[in-house]
Amino acid sequence: MTVEELLEQYAAGVMNFTGINLSEANLSGVKLSGVNLSSSDLSIVNLSGANLQGANLSKVKLNVARLRGANLENAILNNSSLNVANLIRANLSGAQLQGASLVRAELIRADLSRADLSEANLKNADLREATLRQTNLRHANLSIANLKGSSLVGANLEMANLNTTDLSRTDLSGVNMRDAELKQANLTHANLSGADLSGANLRWADLSGANLRWADLSGAKFSGATLIGADLSNANLTNTSLVHADLTQATLIKAEWSGADLTSAILTGAKLYSTSRFGLKTEGITCEWVDLSPKGDRSIIQKFIGEDARDFFNETAPTIRIIIDAPLEHEAHFALAGSYYQIAQEYSGIKQPPSLEISRRRTVLTFRVDNDQALLPTAYIAILPFQDAANTQKNIYAIIEMLQQEDISRLGLQAPDQIEKLSSLIQEAMTQTQTIKKMKRNLQLAAKLNFYKIPTQTILTNSSAQTLVIYDHPHFGKRFIDASGSEVTSFPSILSKSTRFAPPTLGMVVDFINSFHYLR
């Protein structure tokens, strides 16, 4: 069929031209919207500026075709072949390109918004400054492609192949890149804010200056990757591999990276305000200093000498253990949940319910906190449901008073300025305690149950694994129980107001505080 015959029949209302051969034909500027050219051979054809809106071009050969500026909006191109085709500034919005082959195709500034390119082959394609908003590229092959400056906002790139692809300065905000392959990809200054890269492979990728704020990077592999100056604020890096990664001056403010592997990583100049340093693998890290200022403006610098960095990044989370000398009963469990839910509404230091360990004889509540400085004030609040609260709180306050009354220089404290900060935190806890007590329902319920009247111990463990017993009831552990678990000896005076409780000694407190890792 000739071009003239095609156009004549199309003008007469014929739409079906399945399987025709028009290779090397000149169809520039023609209007063939809605035409059916499926399985046709249009290799090396000139369709520049043509209107093929809604056309059926599935399984069509368009290799080396010229489609510059063509309108292919909502066209069907499933399993078509467009290798080395010129699609510069073409409109492919809403087009269906499932399984299509676009190897080395030119798609500079093309519009592929909402197009379906799942399992398409775009290897070595040129997509500079292209628009791919909400485009489906699931399982697509984009290896060695050039997407510099393109927009992929909200696109689906799950399990896509982007190895060695140029994604520099691209907008990938909100993109789905779960389990995608991005080895050696260039993502310098890319915007990946809010993106899902969980499980993605970014080994040896370059993400210098990239925006990864609020991104989900859990379980991703960044081994050998460059993240110099990248912004990872509030990012999820749980169980992420950052082995040999370069995080020089990266922003990690409020990032969550529990279980991350930072073996041999570079962290010099990293911004770590309100970022937990616990539960990390940090063997062989390089870190000369970190920025702990809230705004990352270097107003609070922590410098390291020798093994200081290894001690700063440790694997022990500070904890508060409240040990109750009785097993937890069902009724008491209900009251416990209600009490700590109520407390958490007013006190942000208790972010999660305590872990529970229940034995035949005792119950252990373990609270994990973000830093050593939070131990004393959080313990002041955590003990509230128990009758031992008043005496435990009295001991905590006595610890601070004891330190304030002593000559700081004589105590040999490594960070004397922290005493004032600890005092301030305790005062805040005291104020919040009064507010919490006004919410009477759950705390009053707990007060009526025998479990909350049982003797307790409260033990603090800091990030250096140093412990401090801040309260130990004199009758703790004095009950005798028979083989069935029943109590056979009791102490009527077990909670007598006349019982004296001694706080830890000054030396014990100083040793404990000296082993703090400070957030300066």
Side-chain angles (χ1 to χ4, degrees), residues 52-65:
L52 291 156
Q53 186 177 10
N56 185 350
L57 298 163
S58 57
K59 298 181 181 179
V60 169
K61 293 180 182 178
L62 282 157
N63 298 319
V64 203

Side-chain angles (χ1 to χ4, degrees), residues 213-284:
R213 293 169 63 88
W214 297 99
D216 185 353
L217 309 169
S218 56
K221 303 168 188 69
F222 284 89
S223 302
T226 301
L227 289 144
I228 297 171
D231 188 348
L232 294 122
S233 302
N234 296 288
N236 180 4
L237 288 148
T238 306
N239 298 322
T240 299
S241 174
L242 291 150
V243 177
H244 287 286
D246 190 345
L247 289 148
T248 301
Q249 296 190 36
T251 301
L252 288 148
I253 293 172
K254 296 183 180 179
E256 172 57 56
W257 58 356
S258 177
D261 190 346
L262 289 150
T263 303
S264 300
I266 301 172
L267 282 155
T268 297
K271 298 172 176 62
L272 295 171
Y273 175 77
S274 197
T275 300
S276 174
R277 303 188 306 279
F278 314 115
L280 305 172
K281 294 180 181 179
T282 57
E283 185 179 354

Side-chain angles (χ1 to χ4, degrees), residues 323-327 361-363 454-456 475-479:
I323 306 171
I324 302 97
D325 199 20
R361 184 182 182 92
R362 295 192 178 118
T363 302
I454 298 294
T456 66
H475 292 292
F476 183 89
K478 300 294 174 59
R479 293 181 307 116

Side-chain angles (χ1 to χ4, degrees), residues 24-26 42 44-49 62-68 70 85-87:
E24 301 187 44
N26 184 4
L42 301 173
I44 323 178
V45 72
N46 182 3
L47 283 159
S48 301
L62 282 157
N63 298 319
V64 203
R66 284 177 283 173
L67 289 147
R68 186 184 185 105
N86 181 343
L87 288 148

Side-chain angles (χ1 to χ4, degrees), residues 212-411:
L212 290 146
R213 293 169 63 88
W214 297 99
D216 185 353
L217 309 169
S218 56
K221 303 168 188 69
F222 284 89
S223 302
T226 301
L227 289 144
I228 297 171
D231 188 348
L232 294 122
S233 302
N234 296 288
N236 180 4
L237 288 148
T238 306
N239 298 322
T240 299
S241 174
L242 291 150
V243 177
H244 287 286
D246 190 345
L247 289 148
T248 301
Q249 296 190 36
T251 301
L252 288 148
I253 293 172
K254 296 183 180 179
E256 172 57 56
W257 58 356
S258 177
D261 190 346
L262 289 150
T263 303
S264 300
I266 301 172
L267 282 155
T268 297
K271 298 172 176 62
L272 295 171
Y273 175 77
S274 197
T275 300
S276 174
R277 303 188 306 279
F278 314 115
L280 305 172
K281 294 180 181 179
T282 57
E283 185 179 354
I285 63 166
T286 299
C287 189
E288 297 174 8
W289 59 277
V290 292
D291 182 350
L292 298 175
S293 58
K295 296 181 179 179
D297 56 8
R298 303 193 188 185
S299 57
I300 305 174
I301 295 294
Q302 175 82 54
K303 294 182 179 180
F304 302 118
I305 299 173
E307 300 297 323
D308 289 353
R310 185 188 64 183
D311 295 337
F312 182 82
F313 295 97
N314 61 84
E315 299 183 39
T316 304
T319 58
I320 300 155
R321 282 183 298 151
I322 298 174
I323 306 171
I324 302 97
D325 199 20
L328 183 65
E329 302 161 346
H330 290 294
E331 189 177 15
H333 195 177
F334 175 79
L336 189 78
S339 295
Y340 285 119
Y341 173 77
Q342 227 172 41
I343 289 169
Q345 303 307 300
E346 293 296 325
Y347 185 70
S348 61
I350 299 179
K351 297 178 180 177
Q352 296 178 336
S355 63
L356 281 172
E357 183 182 342
I358 306 168
S359 68
R360 174 171 166 264
R361 184 182 182 92
R362 295 192 178 118
T363 302
V364 182
L365 308 180
T366 303
F367 297 84
R368 176 175 168 170
V369 296
D370 290 338
N371 54 71
D372 291 331
Q373 291 86 333
L375 284 167
L376 285 164
T378 305
Y380 194 97
I381 299 286
I383 193 64
L384 268 177
F386 298 91
Q387 191 161 319
D388 276 347
N391 289 314
T392 306
Q393 291 170 338
K394 189 185 298 181
N395 278 10
I396 292 170
Y397 189 72
I399 287 169
I400 298 300
E401 276 194 321
M402 186 166 48
L403 291 168
Q404 290 176 328
Q405 291 168 6
E406 291 290 329
D407 182 352
I408 296 295
S409 60
R410 187 182 68 81
L411 291 177

